[in-house]
């Protein structure tokens, strides 16, 4: 019996739920015969990107997808003029990230009925993307964790592995010169097992989006380097990038507005207290300062946990030589 259900008769206990909305009236028979969604799209949105989000949702809104909008700007009513608005789930919390929303509203027992979970940002052009074709490739290749590739000529790209190549899909990237070399035997991100716009099976969600997300580190910098550990098996085989169904990442800053990007990276690496040197009225800069601080905290927590757990050994030791 689940914890807390002991006073109840066993047959009345329901452990799972979902995000399907129910009508207030009508036939119970019709309600129970309705087709349940197979996958979930959860996307962090702001009203300034309404046009882009509309195009994304129109690609997904069907009998096979439930859509959940995570409103980080607190604006909900201004979406109601879109014909799909009343059929999606709206969750609003001011100035929170998609990771904050995921930790609080994507509990595994709530989303366990969905086969695949898409956790995306709003600044994605989906002109060359079809969800059903994408999932057919994911199933064919046995991918536990995946993402659509990015068009290099039109996208903001942070990691080379996400760049589209002339294949149906790819699992790794090769780099033999410069920093961050990637060879055939490399088993660590960003050479393999690295993604930004996540698409995963429900078991992956329980491990990564629930157990691994730190409750107090809302920006989750560094988390993408560890998500491959949550693949159910070998991340060099069941984590990949789908190239034939690809996106354009516009790279639009959201939380904190439009601030300085390069200055914060440069300043934070050279001075002890970057807040003293930067313009404190630039909220975007402050967001990036917090992100960098969280990145360091997460790395230290991972290292400490790995050292203290005598029963755990890293299944993917870093190897960068031939």
């Amino acid at each position: 019996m689940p914890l807390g259900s002991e006073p109840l008769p066993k047959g009345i206990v329901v452990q799972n739920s979902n995000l399907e909305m129910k009508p207030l009236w009508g036939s119970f028979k019709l309600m129970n015969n309705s087709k349940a969604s197979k996958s979930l799209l959860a996307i962090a949105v702001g009203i300034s990107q309404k046009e882009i989000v509309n195009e994304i949702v129109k690609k997904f809104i069907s009998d096979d997808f439930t859509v959940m909008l995570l409103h980080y700007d607190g604006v909900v009513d201004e979406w109601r003029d879109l014909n799909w608005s009343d059929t999606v789930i709206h969750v609003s919390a001011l100035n929170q990230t998609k990771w904050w929303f995921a930790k609080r509203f994507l509990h595994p027992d709530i989303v366990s009925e969905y086969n695949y979970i898409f956790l995306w940002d709003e600044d994605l052009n989906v002109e060359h993307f079809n969800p059903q074709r994408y999932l057919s490739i994911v199933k064919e290749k046995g991918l536990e964790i995946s993402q659509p590739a990015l068009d290099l000529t039109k996208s903001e790209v942070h990691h080379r592995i996400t760049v589209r190549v002339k294949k149906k899909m790819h699992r790794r990237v090769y780099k033999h010169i410069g920093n961050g070399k990637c060879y055939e035997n490399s088993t660590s991100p960003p050479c393999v097992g690295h993604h930004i716009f996540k698409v995963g099976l429900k078991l992956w969600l329980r491990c990564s989006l629930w157990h691994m997300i730190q409750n107090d580190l809302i920006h989750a910098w560094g988390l993408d380097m560890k998500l491959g550990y949550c693949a159910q098996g070998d991340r060099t085989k069941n984590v990949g990038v789908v190239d034939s169904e690809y996106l354009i990442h516009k790279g639009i800053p959201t939380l904190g507005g439009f601030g300085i990007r390069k200055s914060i990276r440069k300043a934070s690496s050279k001075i002890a207290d970057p807040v003293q040197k930067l313009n404190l009225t630039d909220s975007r800069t402050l967001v990036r300062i917090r992100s960098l601080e969280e990145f360091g905290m997460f790395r230290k927590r991972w290292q400490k946990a790995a050292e203290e757990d005598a029963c755990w050994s890293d299944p993917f030791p870093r190897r960068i030589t031939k």
Side-chain angles (χ1 to χ4, degrees):
M1 294 284 285
L3 182 65
S5 67
E6 294 84 358
L8 304 176
K10 185 177 180 180
I12 202 66
V13 175
V14 178
Q15 298 186 51
N16 299 324
S17 185
N18 57 40
L19 295 168
E20 306 299 323
M21 291 189 286
K22 304 296 183 181
L24 294 178
W25 55 81
S27 169
F28 278 103
K29 183 176 180 180
L30 292 176
M31 290 169 55
N32 293 331
N33 287 338
S34 64
K35 184 179 178 182
S37 298
K38 296 180 181 179
S39 298
L40 170 69
L41 168 68
I43 178 170
V45 303
I47 194 63
S48 62
Q49 305 306 325
K50 181 179 179 180
E51 182 177 345
I52 300 175
V53 174
N54 183 37
E55 295 303 315
I56 296 174
V57 173
K58 286 193 298 184
K59 288 271 187 173
F60 284 86
I61 200 74
S62 72
D63 290 340
D64 290 335
F65 274 92
T66 292
V67 177
M68 186 177 192
L69 297 189
L70 313 171
H71 298 273
Y72 61 76
D73 60 356
V75 178
V76 178
D77 286 345
E78 292 183 28
W79 295 83
R80 296 187 64 85
D81 62 320
L82 298 174
N83 59 12
W84 47 258
S85 181
D86 290 341
T87 67
V88 308
I89 308 297
H90 297 269
V91 180
S92 178
L94 191 62
N95 287 332
Q96 301 303 314
T97 69
K98 65 181 180 183
W99 305 108
W100 184 92
F101 284 105
K103 184 66 174 178
R104 289 152 181 84
F105 299 100
L106 296 183
H107 189 281
D109 290 344
I110 297 294
V111 299
S112 63
E113 291 191 10
Y114 303 106
N115 292 328
Y116 290 91
I117 294 92
F118 291 61
L119 184 62
W120 278 11
D121 295 325
E122 63 188 333
D123 57 341
L124 300 173
N125 182 304
V126 293
E127 178 182 357
H128 306 285
F129 180 81
N130 180 287
Q132 297 299 341
R133 288 200 300 263
Y134 178 88
L135 288 180
S136 70
I137 296 172
V138 167
K139 295 173 185 176
E140 173 192 346
K141 300 298 182 179
L143 301 180
E144 295 279 342
I145 310 172
S146 64
Q147 82 157 71
L150 302 179
D151 184 338
L152 179 62
T153 63
K154 300 177 181 179
S155 299
E156 178 176 292
V157 175
H158 299 287
H159 297 282
R160 186 174 173 181
I161 193 172
T162 63
V163 173
R164 183 182 181 227
V165 297
K166 295 181 178 179
K167 295 181 178 180
K168 181 181 286 189
M169 58 83 59
H170 67 275
R171 293 181 172 87
R172 60 172 60 244
V173 68
Y174 301 94
K175 185 171 182 259
H176 296 165
I177 60 176
N179 296 326
K181 296 181 177 66
C182 295
Y183 296 116
E184 182 67 36
N185 66 347
S186 298
T187 61
S188 298
C191 303
V192 297
H194 180 80
H195 298 89
I196 299 175
F197 308 112
K198 282 72 180 174
V199 181
L201 285 167
K202 54 190 175 185
L203 288 178
W204 163 79
L205 180 137
R206 182 177 290 273
C207 170
S208 59
L209 297 189
W210 191 255
H211 292 310
M212 196 188 300
I213 290 181
Q214 308 292 289
N215 192 57
D216 57 329
L217 306 184
I218 64 169
H219 292 287
W221 277 23
L223 188 68
D224 51 356
M225 292 288 186
K226 303 298 185 184
L227 290 178
Y229 285 92
C230 287
Q232 303 300 304
D234 187 347
R235 71 181 179 191
T236 65
K237 297 179 180 179
N238 57 19
V239 180
V241 177
V242 176
D243 298 285
S244 58
E245 300 297 321
Y246 63 95
L247 305 171
I248 296 172
H249 180 209
K250 295 180 176 294
I252 301 172
T254 54
L255 296 173
F258 296 86
I260 303 169
R261 290 187 172 212
K262 294 182 179 179
S263 63
I264 179 59
R265 293 195 190 103
K266 183 177 180 180
S268 62
S269 65
K270 293 184 177 181
I271 57 180
D273 186 5
V275 177
Q276 296 178 357
K277 299 282 182 146
L278 296 173
N279 182 0
L280 296 183
T281 63
D282 185 350
S283 57
R284 180 63 184 173
T285 296
L286 296 179
V287 165
R288 295 186 70 82
I289 291 174
R290 170 66 180 268
S291 301
L292 286 168
E293 291 175 345
E294 289 191 359
F295 180 50
M297 294 171 66
F298 180 76
R299 287 195 300 178
K300 290 179 180 178
R301 289 181 187 181
W302 182 277
Q303 182 178 356
K304 184 175 185 292
E307 291 173 351
E308 293 180 350
D309 190 343
C311 297
W312 185 85
S313 61
D314 194 338
F316 303 110
R318 184 171 179 81
R319 296 191 297 270
I320 60 173
T321 57
K322 291 184 179 179

